[in-house]
Amino acid sequence: MANTTAFDSQAESGPHSESSLRPLGRVRWTVCAMLFVATSVNYMDRQVIAILKPTLEHSIGMTEVGYGYIVYSFQIAYAIGLLAAGRLIDRLGTRIGYMLVMAVWSLSAMGHALASTVLEFGFARFFLGLGESGNFPAAIKTVAEWFPQNERSLATGIFNSGANIGAILAPAIVPFVTLRWGWHVAFLTTGLFSVLWILWWFRYYRRPTDHPTLTAGELRHIYQEAAVDLGPSVPWRRLLSCRQTWAFSVAKFLTDPIWYFYLFWLPSYFSAKFHLDLSHLGLPLIIVYNVSAIGSIGGGWLPAPFRRLGLSSNYARLAAMLFCAVLVVPIYTATGAKSVWSAIALISVAAGAHQGWSANLFTTASDMFPRSAVGSVVGVGGMAGSAGSALFALFAGHTLQAAHNYAILFGIAASAYPLALIFLYLLAPGLKKVKFAA
């Protein structure tokens, strides 16, 4: 309450008052760091099975088709979870909702250690997908609550880069643990990180108006847009009647599968094409995901120079997405790469461009919708992206089983982003803001 009073007083005192000249504070960036860590843990948990795929092929007789069904189980559950996760986060709030979904996915990730057949892995993977589906709706809603519009894409890019850090830590940790204590222990390891994060979030996180260390200046900065931006509660049917909802969802449907293809099939691509074993898979994956992290943060920053060239905020975002889409196109040549290093270079640029694209695509939800609807819109779009990823997983498994060649898959990856941008622009020209009556 004290924060709200201070905020009101400062808002009345004018832009040149003494209080308005005080340092803003950095609480919002600490919150962003927490989102970054949560996303890192999220991707560590989901990537363990990709790194262990060659090992599991020998230990439990898993085939390409069987692996495709395991990934499909995760993606279908992720889609189902996202149908409810966004609405759940909107209802429970980010403080309680985020802890709940983190607990579910962590227990499911550790449950993989009990599996010994493809069916059992599929079962564990299904519940992992249900839990992990809540991460991005919660994180995007938190960004919408804690950041003004002109900082959201950077904040999203920073926390989204946690996906790459998690993907970097997994190949650094999982082979080490597996070679010493076995693959069962590898699935248990990341659970420790989840417990620590839940305690940190519970102790530190509050809404901006309730946070005990937030200054009035930073609160005013966060809410520099009109209060109407908070918006009324919006029912599903109204969201689904908006072209902007479909624009976001179609773009997710077309491009999310490409990232999951990188995440779940890159280890086996390097193993099959360049004969890299478990002890040598780490370096290529670490390089790819380091570049991806740079792409995520750089993509979040990228609209700024386009704004300086005179574009509006929304058209600057679209220009940044076009730039990222163009960078992905050369990935179609990866299937013919003659050396592991040329393959690493092509895939690194494409993965980094995807993360830059993703940071801006996520931010379009808060560009086009009021804060009260952001979690639900991200949930709908994420569900579409996961449904596309599930279909792509089945397609990839059968394609690789039949052809033993990645050419078709890399060709689809190259074309997905330009096509998605065309749909996004046609369905939501200029990313126009949706206005809902109270």
Side-chain angles (χ1 to χ4, degrees):
M1 196 68 181
N3 274 340
T4 304
T5 303
F7 170 54
D8 292 340
S9 299
Q10 187 176 2
E12 294 170 0
S13 62
H16 300 297
S17 65
E18 180 182 352
S19 60
S20 70
L21 298 177
R22 293 173 184 166
L24 283 179
R26 297 291 178 181
V27 175
R28 67 193 187 284
W29 295 110
T30 301
V31 171
C32 185
M34 299 173 81
L35 303 179
F36 169 85
V37 174
T39 305
S40 299
V41 174
N42 183 283
Y43 270 78
M44 285 177 65
D45 285 337
R46 75 176 65 180
Q47 206 202 3
V48 174
I49 197 168
I51 296 170
L52 293 178
K53 178 176 177 282
T55 301
L56 295 175
E57 286 173 343
H58 292 95
S59 62
I60 68 169
M62 183 175 66
T63 64
E64 289 285 2
V65 172
Y67 182 68
Y69 279 114
I70 290 173
V71 175
Y72 174 82
S73 298
F74 173 87
Q75 299 293 173
I76 285 295
Y78 202 87
I80 294 170
L82 280 169
L83 187 62
R87 185 65 73 180
L88 178 71
I89 298 300
D90 283 340
R91 289 184 179 276
L92 294 182
T94 47
R95 183 167 185 256
I96 300 301
Y98 218 149
M99 289 191 297
L100 177 63
V101 298
M102 172 76 90
V104 171
W105 96 53
S106 300
L107 290 173
S108 302
M110 290 186 283
H112 285 64
L114 303 175
S116 58
T117 66
V118 168
L119 180 63
E120 291 171 353
F121 272 106
F123 184 78
R125 208 70 186 166
F126 183 88
F127 283 95
L128 179 67
L130 286 180
E132 291 206 343
S133 66
N135 182 70
F136 281 96
I140 295 296
K141 185 174 178 65
T142 302
V143 167
E145 290 175 345
W146 272 89
F147 289 86
Q149 185 179 26
N150 64 352
E151 291 181 348
R152 286 179 197 163
S153 64
L154 178 58
T156 302
I158 291 172
F159 91 70
N160 192 44
S161 69
N164 309 295
I165 300 303
I168 290 166
L169 291 175
I173 294 172
V174 171
F176 176 85
V177 172
T178 302
L179 291 171
R180 284 159 180 78
W181 298 291
W183 60 264
H184 299 83
V185 178
F187 283 110
L188 297 173
T189 304
T190 55
L192 298 175
F193 297 101
S194 304
V195 172
L196 294 174
W197 185 90
I198 290 172
L199 294 174
W200 183 25
W201 184 259
F202 179 75
R203 179 178 176 83
Y204 186 82
Y205 185 80
R206 301 291 187 278
R207 292 181 303 171
T209 52
D210 298 330
H211 203 284
T213 63
L214 190 68
T215 65
E218 189 169 9
L219 186 62
R220 182 182 182 183
H221 177 74
I222 291 168
Y223 290 116
Q224 62 185 247
E225 293 95 4
V228 72
D229 186 50
L230 295 173
S233 178
V234 184
W236 280 108
R237 60 180 178 80
R238 293 183 70 186
L239 287 178
L240 294 177
S241 68
C242 296
R243 290 165 61 95
Q244 289 89 335
T245 303
W246 291 100
F248 179 76
S249 299
V250 170
K252 293 284 285 179
F253 178 86
L254 291 172
T255 59
D256 276 15
I258 310 308
W259 175 250
Y260 284 109
F261 168 59
Y262 298 150
L263 192 69
F264 293 133
W265 267 276
L266 276 189
S268 60
Y269 163 76
F270 284 118
S271 177
K273 185 170 179 62
F274 300 107
H275 309 292
L276 302 183
D277 59 21
L278 185 62
S279 62
H280 293 89
L281 275 175
L283 182 59
L285 297 176
I286 288 171
I287 292 172
V288 168
Y289 294 118
N290 265 300
V291 176
S292 298
I294 296 170
S296 182
I297 298 172
W301 165 84
L302 192 56
F306 286 111
R307 286 195 298 269
R308 287 195 290 271
L309 291 174
L311 295 180
S312 67
S313 293
N314 287 351
Y315 276 99
R317 182 145 0 266
L318 289 170
M321 295 174 74
L322 175 60
F323 182 83
C324 293
V326 171
L327 286 180
V328 178
V329 172
I331 191 65
Y332 78 91
T333 64
T335 190
K338 301 301 183 183
S339 72
V340 67
W341 292 109
S342 60
I344 289 171
L346 287 166
I347 295 170
S348 295
V349 171
H354 169 89
Q355 289 296 73
W357 163 278
S358 183
N360 284 283
L361 179 59
F362 270 128
T363 310
T364 63
S366 55
D367 289 340
M368 297 187 293
F369 290 89
R371 288 176 183 157
S372 61
V374 167
S376 296
V377 171
V378 172
V380 172
M383 180 190 68
S386 197
S389 301
L391 295 174
F392 194 79
L394 291 180
F395 177 77
H398 284 87
T399 298
L400 292 173
Q401 187 79 13
H404 302 285
N405 190 289
Y406 286 80
I408 295 174
L409 303 177
F410 281 125
I412 294 172
S415 59
Y417 299 84
L419 185 62
L421 188 58
I422 291 170
F423 275 104
L424 180 66
Y425 188 79
L426 291 177
L427 290 171
L431 306 179
K432 183 180 178 181
K433 189 89 170 183
V434 179
K435 301 292 184 182
F436 294 109

